[in-house]
Amino acid sequence: MSDTPETNAAWVEQKDMVLLCRKLERERDDLMSQDYRTEARAMRYCQERDEARNVIAGWENKWKCAIDMAARAELERDEALKDAKNYHAKMVNLTYELADARELAQQMSESNQVLQAEVRDYRKKERSIP
């Protein structure tokens, strides 16, 4: 090779072309690397989104179950209150019946005492007759 200005210019041009190609390759590789990182980040975000959706669905199911349980508890509470009112009414009736039974027992006791007194009097009279 001769050292002519044309060969030097061609060599410089070729060298510049090689450097430019290497620079463009590095930029391409950097952009591809960024694309892969961006794609990986996007995939990670999609996975996190899906996991969040699953968590939300789980909480929605738990919320629905809690609402159902609360509704059932409210119905059971209403039924228990109704039963308590019925038992209270029965207790009041039994209390009145007990009071009536005690009064009747008192009257029967008094009647029995009067009857026993009359029987004693009658027996005394019977004995006194000769």
Side-chain angles (χ1 to χ4, degrees), residues 18-33:
V18 167
L19 291 174
L20 180 63
C21 285
R22 287 182 183 165
K23 180 183 172 191
L24 290 173
E25 285 175 353
R26 278 193 307 271
E27 287 178 3
R28 181 201 65 204
D29 291 345
D30 287 344
L31 289 173
M32 287 179 70
S33 176

Side-chain angles (χ1 to χ4, degrees), residues 14-118:
Q14 186 178 7
K15 181 181 168 193
D16 287 343
M17 187 62 80
V18 167
L19 291 174
L20 180 63
C21 285
R22 287 182 183 165
K23 180 183 172 191
L24 290 173
E25 285 175 353
R26 278 193 307 271
E27 287 178 3
R28 181 201 65 204
D29 291 345
D30 287 344
L31 289 173
M32 287 179 70
S33 176
Q34 287 176 2
D35 284 348
Y36 289 132
R37 286 192 304 254
T38 303
E39 186 177 334
R41 195 176 320 138
M43 291 295 288
R44 191 178 70 238
Y45 289 153
C46 288
Q47 288 174 345
E48 289 175 3
R49 180 203 61 208
D50 293 342
E51 289 171 3
R53 283 182 180 165
N54 290 337
V55 169
I56 289 170
W59 281 107
E60 286 174 346
N61 288 338
K62 288 178 183 177
W63 179 254
K64 288 176 185 176
C65 289
I67 289 173
D68 290 343
M69 289 172 64
R72 274 186 264 137
E74 192 173 333
L75 290 174
E76 289 176 5
R77 182 206 63 203
D78 292 344
E79 188 174 324
L81 286 173
K82 187 175 92 176
D83 288 345
K85 285 180 183 178
N86 288 339
Y87 289 134
H88 178 71
K90 287 179 183 178
M91 185 65 154
V92 168
N93 287 340
L94 288 173
T95 303
Y96 288 136
E97 288 178 11
L98 178 62
D100 290 345
R102 285 182 178 159
E103 185 179 323
L104 183 61
Q106 180 67 29
Q107 289 173 359
M108 289 176 68
S109 176
E110 290 171 2
S111 295
N112 191 19
Q113 289 173 0
V114 170
L115 184 61
Q116 285 177 356
E118 287 178 1

